[in-house]
Structure formats: structure tokens, C-alpha cells
Amino acid sequence: MNEHMLIFRDIAEVFAGAFIGGLIFWRLRLPLIVGYIIAGLVLSPLTPGIRIHDVHTFETMAEVGVILLMFSIGIEFSIPELLQVKWVALIGAPIGILCSIGLGMGTGMLLGWSFAQGIAIGCIISVASTMVLMRFLIDRGELGSEHGRVMITLTLVEDLAVVILTVLLPSLGSPGGAQYGQVLWKIGKAVLLLIPVVLVAWKIVPRLLDRSERTGNDEISILLALTICMVTAALTEAIGLSLAVGAFIGGMLLGSSSYAHKLAEHTLPIRDAFVALFFVTIGMLIDPSTWVANWHMIVVLVALILIGKFMVWFAIVRLFGYSSSTALRVGVGLTQIGEFSFILAQVSLHSGIIASGVYNAVLAAALITILINAILFKLIKPAPAALAQQPIHA
């Protein structure tokens, strides 16, 4: 079978797997994303049976899901709403990240890991999956709730922290030590380039959208919105930030337009299809054959994520004056890891800080914590309707 035929066979298998997995878990009244991940595990080249030929192709395609989801979330949020939780984001989030890194270092000292591996593990567990969290909040209709806003701003800060950590981690594995000047230069360059881009776009984008709306052609307006989404994502990645942050900013730039929400509705089917593909791809990366050999590392990682991170974020949210109910929901929401943790694990692996067994344990821990996180979300009663935003079609 030629390469062309293999790609389309793989695409057919992935969407069929997502449909079947999603349908089964919908019947079980569990989040669809868990079904998608299980489908990816079944289709993975690392498991027997039906398998995908080229996982890398789907990793690239899955990035579109990240961009579209973050773009739609950006449309739903306004600057004033985010500023309501600015202190817990600007001060609390860095404290929480440092505490999570401290958990990794402390555990490493107790278990005899190297100093660099302890820091790497701490960095890996410090970053919750924005995709998973957003999806759970959307499904529950809690995107606009107080705890929803807190969670989103915290994860956005975590996403920004990934930029720093991806530069810092490799230096831990090099003989010369940490290259702090390079870290500061990369952060400063990103901020200096991002600010004028956002300011210019803030003035121009709403006008462009209003003009396209006057054409009366929804197709033209949708194409403009998607162009803005992709361009902002590409720009932020080019200056050293993540695609997700850029897509979120692009959505917020459109959010000031009265027509933006209609555009968001039109793009929902595309978004949901690519989001499903993203979670199937996560499942494909997991190698179950390593679970037995690395079971002790998996247990340690799961305990750090579920217990350690919950205690950290519960304490921090309470420290900034929020209720125990809000702190509980935020703590539960952040007890999982995902896409950015994979990036940090890859960086640590390639830098020689962690071994391949630890990397596979991270992937397994991601699956386990996402499954447990889904169950915990089911056990917590939804936020009062007065606080919750109506769900975007999930």
C-alpha cells in the first residue's frame, strides 16, 4: 500500500476510533475525552491489533485542535473578567509552580534521584493540561464561574512558564550549568515583541471583522476569523511563546465584536473534530509495555499530581481570599497533566536529565490522572447556575 493510501486509512481509523470511544463513554456518562484517549491507546503502534502507520502526522494535525479550542475560549472571555483574578494569577501561579517544583526536588531527595531529575519531575508535574481543563469546564457549563476563571488564568500562566522551563531544563543537563542570561533574553524578547502586536491588533481586528460582517457573507467572516486565529498563534510561536497562548489572544481580540460569538458557533464543529483528534493522539503516545517495569515511578508521579498538587493549589487559592468551595474545585481541576508536560518530558529526555523509563511513566501518569480527574469532576456538584456560563456545544 502506498504512502498516500496509508494516510487516508489512518485518518479513517482515527475518526472511527474517536466515534466509537466517545459513544461508549457518553453512554457511561463519562467525559468523551477519556473515550478518545482509550481509542488512541487501542490504535497506537505500541499496542497489538489495529495500528496507525504514522503518529507524527497526527501530532501535527492535533495542534489545530489546541489552536481552535483556545481561540474559542478567548472569544468567550473579556479582559475585565480576567483582571478580576489577576492577583492569584500574577502572584499565586508562580508560587504554585515553584511549590510543585519543590515537591519534585523533595521527593527526589527521599528516593535518591539526581538533583537535576528532581527538578525536571517537579517542572513536569507543575503544568496542568489546559486542553483537558477547558473541555471539562465547557462540558459542565462552568467556564464563566469564579473557579473557572481562576483555573483558566492559572493554566495560562503555567503555559507561559513552559517557555522559561524549556530553556532552563536543558541547561541543567549541560556541564556549564544554567544559562540564566539566555532565559531572561528569551522572555524579554517575547514580551517586547508581543506587546506591540497585541496593541496593533486590538485596534485593527475589530474593524476588519465589522467590514467583513457588512458583506453579509458568513463564509468570508469565518475565513477572516480563522485567519486571525492562525496568524496570532503562528506569531506567538515565532517569538518563543506557545501556539495555545497566541490562539487565546486571537480569540480575545475578536471577543470585543458583537459578531464574534456567531463566528464561534460556526467554527464549533471544526473545533470539536480536531479536539477529538488531539486526545486520540495522546493515547497513541502511551506505551503500556513499560508500565510493569516502571510501576513505582508511575505511582510516585500520580501521587505527586493528585495529592501534592491538590494541596498546593487548594492552599494558594485559599491564601488569596477565595472560599473553600472555589479552592476545592480549583485544586481538583489542576490535578492532572497533559500536553505541555509531554513537551517538558521530551526536553528532559533529550537533555539526558531523565531516562526513557521515566518519560514513559510521565505519559502513563497523564492518562491515569486524566481518568481520575474526570471521575473527581463527576463527583463534585456543578457550580450554581447563577455563576456558571452556559456551555459551549461540547
Side-chain angles (χ1 to χ4, degrees), residues 26-27 34 50 58 80 114 134 153 158 165 171 186 202 213 233 238 241 247 252 265 279 329 332:
W26 177 76
R27 290 282 188 184
V34 180
I50 301 172
F58 290 94
S114 68
M134 295 291 190
T153 51
E158 288 179 349
L165 297 176
S171 64
K186 189 168 184 178
W202 193 268
E213 184 181 352
L241 300 176
M252 291 188 69
E265 293 288 334
F279 286 109
R329 294 169 191 274
V332 168

Side-chain angles (χ1 to χ4, degrees), residues 36-98:
Y36 298 153
I37 294 172
I38 299 297
L41 194 58
V42 172
L43 294 172
S44 171
L46 304 172
T47 56
I50 301 172
R51 57 182 58 193
I52 296 303
H53 174 252
D54 184 11
V55 176
H56 178 69
T57 299
F58 290 94
E59 288 184 83
T60 303
M61 293 171 64
E63 292 285 0
V64 179
V66 177
I67 292 170
L68 292 176
L69 181 61
M70 294 301 293
F71 178 67
S72 64
I73 300 304
I75 288 177
E76 296 297 323
F77 273 81
S78 65
I79 296 293
E81 285 180 327
L82 293 179
L83 289 177
Q84 290 176 18
V85 294
K86 61 181 180 296
W87 295 120
V88 71
L90 295 175
I91 300 175
I95 293 174
I97 292 168
L98 290 173

Side-chain angles (χ1 to χ4, degrees), residues 107-124:
T107 303
M109 291 174 64
L110 292 174
L111 298 181
W113 299 343
S114 68
F115 177 74
Q117 179 173 320
I119 291 180
I121 294 297
C123 293
I124 289 165

Side-chain angles (χ1 to χ4, degrees), residues 25 29-37 69 73 129-143 145 147-148 151-152 271 275 279 329 332-337 366-378 380 382 389 391-392 394:
F25 276 76
R29 298 185 181 276
L30 290 171
L32 299 184
I33 64 171
V34 180
Y36 298 153
I37 294 172
L69 181 61
I73 300 304
S129 171
T130 306
M131 286 284 285
V132 171
L133 183 60
M134 295 291 190
R135 192 68 195 189
F136 284 161
L137 288 172
I138 289 171
D139 288 345
R140 289 169 61 89
E142 297 179 349
L143 194 59
S145 63
H147 62 272
M151 283 189 229
I152 289 168
R271 183 203 73 181
V275 167
F279 286 109
R329 294 169 191 274
V332 168
L334 298 178
T335 53
Q336 37 78 9
I337 60 172
L367 172 61
I368 294 167
T369 55
I370 289 172
L371 288 169
I372 296 175
N373 199 247
I375 295 170
L376 293 175
F377 260 98
K378 291 283 289 184
I380 297 177
Q389 184 183 25
I392 303 173

Side-chain angles (χ1 to χ4, degrees), residues 102 157 207 252 259 299:
V157 174
R207 296 178 184 177
M252 291 188 69
Y259 194 58
V299 170

